[in-house]
Amino acid sequence: MANLFRNIFQYTKSRNLSRPICRQFNVITPKFQSTRLLPNGLNAGIHTSKKSQNASTSSSPLELPPSLPPQTIETNDKKIGSNPPLNFPCIDNILFRTRSLDGGPEPAYEKIVSGYSVYHHTEPLLCDYGGYLPKFDIAYETWGELNEKKDNAILIHTGLSGSSHAKSHANNVDPGWWEQFIGPGLSIDTNKFFVICTNVIGGCYGSTGPSGIDPSDGERYATRFPIITIFDMVRAQFLLLDNLGINKLYASVGSSMGGMQSLAAAHLYPERVSQVVSISACARSHPYSIALRHTQRQVLMSDPNWNKGFYYNSIIPHVGMKLAREIATISYRSGPEWEQRFGRKRANADQDPALCPDFLIETYLDHQGERFCLQYDPNSLLYISKAMDLFDMSLSTLEIINQKRKVNTERLQKYGIGGLTNDQSCYIPSNNAAASQSPSSQPKRKNMSSLISKNVEDRNDLVQGMSKIQVPALVLGVQSDILFPFWQQKEIAECLREGGNDDVTYYELDSMYGHDTFLIDLTNVGSAVKGHLEFGG
């Protein structure tokens, strides 16, 4: 562009035409902003304002030198493009939905789940990073019967957006998110076990989260809700167990973020958990998964309607939420599945291509985003996904958080906020022989994954952090999982073994369903879970 103008000036100066051309092209006056110059390859001309056209001393087209690409000058008020503009029904639909939400009905997440029970905890809950909840609710559902000894309870931990409705029951006959896995004779046999599932704190399906009411002022928390961790979620769950009179769990079971919680539960309360099942999870979030969740949060927070989290009396940021869900969906499944399911097929092969969803995979992502954007609170997505990023079972990280809890407890108590419990032993591993051994004195084991950190100090940090988990553990990984790649489940199994746990079972599943395998593969996932719970692996 700069070369084009330079050549024009050199040419006109030699022909003594500089003054009229400057007026014609408006290039040395503030009116330059009203001109548009595009390459001839795009069939565009040099456009001038009407005022500059009237000021021109020449009405004939400008003859450009041979070294310059030919250009045309439009002098008509009406400009006709070479092609008609495309239609964008997808954008129109978004705008229509935005208008419909202005003063419209409450989002679906306010009432998407029903039939659950609620435990009301009336004392403050201190969070790891210093905030606190003056009181909180936790939604839960149960199946089966608690035996007389109260030792047959299994706690099911959910993924990021999971509700307490894992299985249908009389108060809610809709299928649950783990419908085929829980029930009489199934993977988690309700003829034998008393099964509990909760909506985590920070969620929006009955438990206290950002959309909940702050009792201090009667307004919604929004982004005044404290930063929470996976450990905070587990503490709230065990307060529920206390209320139910359950001192010890038969098993702590979870997938995805739930698998993080299952590990956290066995670490925080080693005397209260008899078995662990962790599916498609990790002992610490890795950079790729953090990057994916960061991108989702950035897209969501860039929606003007997000309004720094204070959107509850206005239009919810459904556009940002929809796009965030589309990004997430890409990480939930696998390329091979989509190749088999969609291939390169277009939704309407007889129609010309469009910039709106056109390929079947595009329409699938669009549908998933559209369906989810009003079914889950955007602020809950922000807070819970951040909790997943922060998860790290390394000893050094646990000690830092423990110190923060100690300082913040003293501060809160000093200002008259009582009732906070501070179990400082939660983050301190037991002084067993395996934990105290140096890396060189520990039994040599062949790494199960070449991707696990080769830094001995870093690895030993994680081993020591997980060394309190000495109960039978089942760890499942999926080869096609890109969100929680299978080497992270191998890392869990290895570190548990190196920390002295001799009862660790690891299975790696060859499934094409990616991260969502734990929701779909009843044969492999279900059989492994049933075998571990009933027959000890």
Side-chain angles (χ1 to χ4, degrees), residues 434-446:
S436 60
Q437 286 180 352
S438 65
S440 60
S441 64
Q442 291 186 16
K444 292 184 178 181
R445 298 177 182 271
K446 183 179 179 180

Side-chain angles (χ1 to χ4, degrees), residues 189-354:
D189 191 347
T190 52
N191 287 333
K192 300 178 180 179
F193 304 114
F194 178 63
V195 182
I196 311 164
C197 184
T198 80
N199 178 220
V200 298
I201 59 168
C204 58
Y205 296 139
S207 295
T208 297
S211 61
I213 301 299
D214 183 347
S216 301
D217 61 6
E219 299 292 335
R220 297 193 189 240
Y221 280 105
T223 46
R224 298 180 302 165
F225 195 78
I227 291 293
I228 56 174
T229 66
I230 300 296
F231 298 103
D232 293 328
M233 298 173 187
V234 170
R235 288 191 188 90
Q237 291 169 339
F238 273 75
L239 289 171
L240 164 65
L241 295 179
D242 291 341
N243 181 257
L244 295 175
I246 299 172
N247 183 57
K248 189 169 185 175
L249 290 172
Y250 183 85
S252 175
V253 178
S255 306
S256 189
M257 185 184 79
M260 297 176 174
Q261 294 173 68
S262 66
L263 295 174
H267 169 79
L268 287 173
Y269 305 101
E271 304 304 321
R272 299 186 65 179
V273 177
S274 298
Q275 297 186 62
V276 167
V277 175
S278 182
I279 307 168
S280 297
C282 65
R284 51 186 174 183
S285 289
H286 68 110
Y288 181 78
S289 65
I290 293 174
L292 282 171
R293 290 187 288 267
H294 162 77
T295 305
Q296 295 171 49
R297 290 194 296 270
Q298 289 294 298
V299 166
L300 173 52
M301 292 188 293
S302 296
D303 188 323
N305 289 322
W306 180 63
N307 193 31
K308 296 185 177 179
F310 293 88
Y311 51 77
Y312 293 105
N313 295 321
S314 184
I315 301 173
I316 67 171
H318 70 103
V319 178
M321 192 65 170
K322 174 182 177 179
L323 297 177
R325 182 62 173 188
E326 291 188 27
I327 296 170
T329 301
I330 294 172
S331 69
Y332 293 158
R333 295 299 182 93
S334 73
E337 183 207 356
W338 284 346
E339 180 67 35
Q340 184 181 103
R341 187 174 174 185
F342 304 115
R344 289 184 45 82
K345 294 179 182 177
R346 295 174 54 214
N348 295 292
D350 295 335
Q351 295 183 2
D352 291 335

Side-chain angles (χ1 to χ4, degrees), residues 82-277:
S82 301
N83 302 289
L86 293 173
N87 292 320
F88 293 93
C90 53
I91 302 300
D92 296 337
N93 291 337
I94 288 175
L95 295 175
F96 176 79
R97 191 166 203 179
T98 299
R99 288 193 296 268
S100 71
L101 293 172
D102 190 1
E106 290 294 321
Y109 64 79
E110 298 263 332
K111 50 187 178 296
I112 195 170
V113 179
S114 63
Y116 53 80
S117 300
V118 178
Y119 165 60
H120 304 281
H121 190 75
T122 57
E123 295 182 349
L125 176 71
L126 174 66
C127 300
D128 278 337
Y129 284 96
Y132 76 99
L133 296 174
K135 58 182 182 179
F136 68 86
D137 291 343
I138 186 163
Y140 69 99
E141 297 176 48
T142 65
W143 304 265
E145 297 293 334
L146 187 64
N147 64 18
E148 186 176 349
K149 294 182 179 180
K150 297 185 177 183
D151 62 359
N152 68 330
I154 293 178
L155 180 59
I156 305 293
H157 306 277
T158 73
L160 185 153
S161 59
S163 71
S164 59
H165 192 60
K167 172 74 176 181
S168 59
H169 52 80
N171 293 328
N172 186 348
V173 297
D174 292 334
W177 57 267
W178 233 19
E179 182 72 19
Q180 301 303 316
F181 290 78
I182 302 171
L186 298 182
S187 305
I188 300 179
D189 191 347
T190 52
N191 287 333
K192 300 178 180 179
F193 304 114
F194 178 63
V195 182
I196 311 164
C197 184
T198 80
N199 178 220
V200 298
I201 59 168
C204 58
Y205 296 139
S207 295
T208 297
S211 61
I213 301 299
D214 183 347
S216 301
D217 61 6
E219 299 292 335
R220 297 193 189 240
Y221 280 105
T223 46
R224 298 180 302 165
F225 195 78
I227 291 293
I228 56 174
T229 66
I230 300 296
F231 298 103
D232 293 328
M233 298 173 187
V234 170
R235 288 191 188 90
Q237 291 169 339
F238 273 75
L239 289 171
L240 164 65
L241 295 179
D242 291 341
N243 181 257
L244 295 175
I246 299 172
N247 183 57
K248 189 169 185 175
L249 290 172
Y250 183 85
S252 175
V253 178
S255 306
S256 189
M257 185 184 79
M260 297 176 174
Q261 294 173 68
S262 66
L263 295 174
H267 169 79
L268 287 173
Y269 305 101
E271 304 304 321
R272 299 186 65 179
V273 177
S274 298
Q275 297 186 62
V276 167
V277 175

Side-chain angles (χ1 to χ4, degrees), residues 392-409:
D392 186 351
M393 293 285 292
S394 301
L395 177 62
S396 58
T397 300
L398 299 176
E399 288 179 334
I400 291 172
I401 297 177
N402 183 62
Q403 183 60 30
K404 287 180 179 292
R405 288 186 64 83
K406 180 180 178 181
V407 171
N408 287 321
T409 299

